[in-house]
């Protein structure tokens, strides 16, 4: 697959049938990126500035988007389900109808009850709003954790099998353990099952190839720091959790006001 630093073909004279429109800083795009790497798909990284191709693929300007031989789709979970069905490689959804339904249900839970509260807590300035949003976020995480398979069956959401529910949450959990810990005193140690889970996620090459460097994540969100927090203190606060290993940032692209590049955002 081609590097996110480049918009050119992976080999001279060869056109890759899978075009992936994304930003390396976008956690929604990272979900699909993890999935493509897990399945070892031969894809070509495209920047959203490539008009009119990007608009044709994603009319609302949402990231990520995928063009597969002219079949154009967007929305991270929809793209992941498409990748599961179309591309060879490890499955992203289980074979059992009940287990598939469970993965879809809890993937949706992440988007409804975890991601919005992460963003609200990061944006909140007054203590009352922060306290309310923090409780909502913790509740959403606790529900997800309770739905996970027992650790004796394996570290991932379904136990031994890595699936869509794992990669849907992983980019956001990394940001909670770095950005949210640095600037909103989020404590990941309250979720021991998720900490063990994330260690297993980090160890997978598909995640390591897509993850942003924790220090760079914290630095990128420095505008979220409270005025009375010294710079050195807030950086150390975010890195003391000891659960997130550094990897390479894949480039510099535009971001939304909170750097999340929300799939429902109109900011391009």
């Amino acid at each position: 697959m081609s590097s996110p630093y480049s918009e050119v073909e992976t080999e001279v004279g060869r056109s890759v049938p899978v075009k992936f429109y994304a930003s390396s800083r976008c956690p929604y795009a990272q979900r699909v990126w993890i999935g493509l790497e897990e399945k070892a798909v031969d894809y070509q990284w495209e920047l959203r500035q490539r008009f009119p191709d990007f608009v044709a693929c994603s009319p609302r300007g949402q990231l990520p988007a995928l063009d597969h031989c002219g079949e154009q789709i967007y929305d991270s979970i929809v793209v992941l389900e498409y990748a599961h069905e179309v591309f060879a490689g490890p499955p992203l959804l289980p074979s059992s109808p009940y287990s598939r339904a469970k993965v879809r249900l809890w993937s949706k839970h992440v988007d409804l009850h975890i991601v919005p509260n992460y963003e609200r807590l990061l944006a909140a300035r007054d203590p009352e709003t922060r306290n309310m949003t923090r409780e909502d976020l913790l509740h959403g995480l606790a529900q997800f954790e309770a739905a996970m398979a027992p650790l004796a069956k394996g570290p991932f959401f379904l136990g031994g099998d890595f699936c869509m529910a794992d990669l849907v949450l992983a980019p956001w959990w990394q940001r909670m353990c770095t950005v949210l810990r640095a600037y909103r005193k989020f404590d990941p140690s309250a979720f021991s099952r998720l900490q063990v889970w994330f260690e297993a996620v980090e160890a997978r090459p598909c995640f390591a190839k897509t993850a942003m460097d924790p220090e760079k994540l914290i630095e990128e969100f420095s505008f979220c720091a409270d005025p009375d927090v010294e710079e050195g203190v807030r950086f150390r606060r975010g890195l003391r959790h000891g659960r997130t290993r550094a990897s390479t940032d894949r480039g510099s692209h535009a971001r939304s006001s909170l750097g999340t590049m929300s799939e429902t955002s109109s900011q391009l």
Side-chain angles (χ1 to χ4, degrees):
M1 60 288 300
S2 57
S3 164
Y5 288 116
S6 174
E7 293 182 67
V8 300
E9 294 177 352
T10 55
E11 296 178 7
V12 176
R14 183 170 72 92
S15 179
V16 178
V18 180
K19 296 180 180 180
F20 176 43
Y21 292 90
S23 163
S24 64
R25 281 183 164 86
C26 171
Y28 289 106
Q30 189 184 353
R31 292 171 167 178
V32 175
W33 194 3
I34 295 169
L36 294 176
E37 289 290 338
E38 176 73 5
K39 283 184 159 290
V41 176
D42 190 12
Y43 63 90
Q44 179 173 312
W45 186 280
E46 298 283 358
L47 301 181
R48 62 196 178 99
Q49 287 90 342
R50 177 166 287 196
F51 295 99
D53 295 351
F54 169 63
V55 175
C57 191
S58 181
R60 297 182 180 180
Q62 297 175 353
L63 294 177
L66 196 76
D67 184 319
H68 177 218
C69 298
E71 295 181 345
Q72 301 167 330
I73 50 174
Y74 58 92
D75 185 283
S76 62
I77 291 180
V78 173
V79 176
L80 285 171
E81 293 213 32
Y82 177 88
H84 165 76
E85 295 179 4
V86 170
F87 301 123
L92 303 180
L93 288 167
S95 58
S96 161
Y98 172 73
S99 296
R100 283 201 305 274
K102 183 176 180 179
V103 168
R104 290 182 174 118
L105 175 66
W106 289 98
S107 296
K108 186 176 181 179
H109 173 87
V110 172
D111 277 351
L112 291 178
H113 302 292
I114 295 178
V115 173
N117 288 313
Y118 163 86
E119 294 183 328
R120 290 177 192 132
L121 180 55
L122 198 57
R125 291 296 179 180
D126 64 282
E128 182 178 0
T129 302
R130 285 187 185 181
N131 290 337
M132 291 176 58
T133 308
R134 185 187 307 276
E135 289 301 315
D136 290 340
L137 174 61
L138 296 180
H139 182 61
L141 287 168
Q143 288 179 310
F144 185 93
E145 191 177 55
M148 300 176 78
L151 189 56
K153 294 186 177 181
F156 300 115
F157 180 80
L158 290 176
D161 295 328
F162 186 65
C163 71
M164 185 172 73
D166 298 302
L167 53 86
V168 163
L169 179 60
W172 300 99
W173 181 256
Q174 187 196 22
R175 284 156 177 78
M176 288 179 231
C177 292
T178 52
V179 177
L180 212 59
R181 185 179 179 96
Y183 302 126
R184 297 296 180 265
K185 300 180 181 180
F186 175 77
D187 183 9
S189 67
F191 300 96
S192 59
R193 177 70 176 87
L194 283 172
Q195 286 194 303
V196 174
W197 161 80
F198 193 57
E199 288 181 344
V201 170
E202 282 187 305
R204 298 188 75 85
C206 63
F207 181 84
K209 291 178 181 179
T210 68
M212 285 188 66
D213 183 280
E215 292 189 38
K216 290 184 179 181
L217 268 175
I218 294 171
E219 183 178 2
E220 182 172 303
F221 286 85
S222 60
F223 63 91
C224 293
D226 292 329
D228 59 342
V229 177
E230 295 181 4
E231 182 176 359
V233 173
R234 71 191 186 217
F235 273 69
R236 289 195 300 273
R237 181 189 297 163
L239 294 175
R240 272 204 303 264
H241 61 88
R243 293 287 184 177
T244 303
R245 294 188 292 272
S247 58
T248 303
D249 180 14
R250 300 296 174 174
S252 178
H253 303 297
R255 64 183 186 272
S256 66
S257 59
L258 287 179
T260 59
M261 197 70 73
S262 169
E263 289 180 326
T264 59
S265 173
S266 60
Q267 300 182 42
L268 293 178

